[in-house]
Amino acid sequence: MTVFNYPKILGKFFTEILSVEHQNIEHYYFIQPADSQIFLFSVLIFKSIFVPLQSNFKNQIYIMELRNYETVFILTPVLSEQQTKDTVEKFKKILTDNNAEIVNEDAWGIRKLAYPIQNKQTGYYYIIEFKAEGTLVAKLELEYKRDEKVIRFLTTALDKHAVAYNERKQKGLIGKKPVEAKAE
């Protein structure tokens, strides 16, 4: 028997969870409170993401661990300040409506582009760091593509080193020169 890492998530649906490991496949037996039926749910464990292999019930449960992402989008520079704020709020609302946790956000402002995009030399840069399921990234990028105000975007998954770097940067430990003591 192994210890199941997600009792809080599945505790809403099932009263009891039993786990048996056999040949790198963990079999979970779920007992549903309503009719006390027992369901077999086999999963292959790969980096804390559970992928169903077989099940004897139709509604399969996918348990996804939240991952850290960072998205940068560039808005057209011809927008007014209010239009820019509204567009940023729209994308933040998409994240929060889909149960994402916004860790950090930063408005870089108007910056010169490396090359002209849509005959524009500058763009308004905005960056958001968030935690979410992987399925949210596709929804967010689809909204970026639909919005004419967005001229470029990039969303990347962050590994543990990038998350640690971002935390140090938020605390001000990166990007500033250390103050040296003056020799007397």
Side-chain angles (χ1 to χ4, degrees):
M1 297 282 271
T2 60
V3 178
F4 189 66
N5 293 333
Y6 297 93
K8 292 180 182 175
I9 297 172
L10 291 174
K12 297 175 186 173
F13 305 107
F14 302 102
T15 55
E16 202 171 330
I17 302 167
L18 304 174
S19 134
V20 179
E21 187 173 341
H22 176 63
Q23 296 179 350
N24 292 333
I25 297 176
E26 289 197 21
H27 300 278
Y28 293 99
Y29 297 92
F30 300 104
I31 301 173
Q32 208 172 25
D35 49 9
S36 297
Q37 292 182 353
I38 299 176
F39 297 106
L40 171 64
F41 185 63
S42 299
V43 294
L44 175 66
I45 297 186
F46 178 72
K47 292 186 180 178
S48 299
I49 298 175
F50 291 78
V51 181
L53 296 177
Q54 63 182 353
S55 173
N56 64 352
F57 61 98
K58 294 179 184 176
N59 298 328
Q60 294 184 356
I61 297 175
Y62 293 88
I63 303 168
M64 300 293 289
E65 188 173 303
L66 298 180
R67 295 191 62 188
N68 291 302
Y69 294 96
E70 186 174 74
T71 185
V72 178
F73 55 92
I74 306 172
L75 301 176
T76 182
V78 298
L79 298 175
S80 70
E81 189 175 328
Q82 186 59 41
Q83 288 173 322
T84 303
K85 286 181 182 177
D86 292 342
T87 306
V88 168
E89 286 302 317
K90 172 186 159 186
F91 294 124
K92 285 171 44 179
K93 186 176 182 326
I94 291 168
L95 291 171
T96 54
D97 287 350
N98 288 290
N99 300 324
E101 175 191 342
I102 296 177
V103 177
N104 186 34
E105 54 185 294
D106 193 13
W108 288 355
I110 301 282
R111 293 188 176 218
K112 187 171 190 266
L113 300 173
Y115 55 89
I117 302 173
Q118 299 175 359
N119 296 325
K120 295 180 178 51
Q121 299 292 325
T122 59
Y124 182 84
Y125 284 73
Y126 201 87
I127 184 168
I128 301 173
E129 184 183 346
F130 62 96
K131 288 183 181 181
E133 294 181 2
T135 56
L136 176 60
V137 173
K139 293 177 189 176
L140 180 64
E141 290 187 347
L142 180 63
E143 290 299 321
Y144 285 150
K145 291 175 185 175
R146 288 181 176 164
D147 197 332
E148 294 176 356
K149 299 170 192 163
V150 177
I151 56 177
R152 282 289 189 272
F153 64 88
L154 178 66
T155 304
T156 58
L158 301 176
D159 63 357
K160 64 181 180 181
H161 303 293
V163 171
Y165 176 85
N166 284 347
E167 287 174 358
R168 289 194 316 267
K169 186 176 177 182
Q170 290 169 16
K171 292 177 183 175
L173 301 175
I174 294 177
K176 296 181 181 177
K177 294 182 180 179
V179 179
E180 295 180 12
K182 295 181 180 179
E184 294 183 21

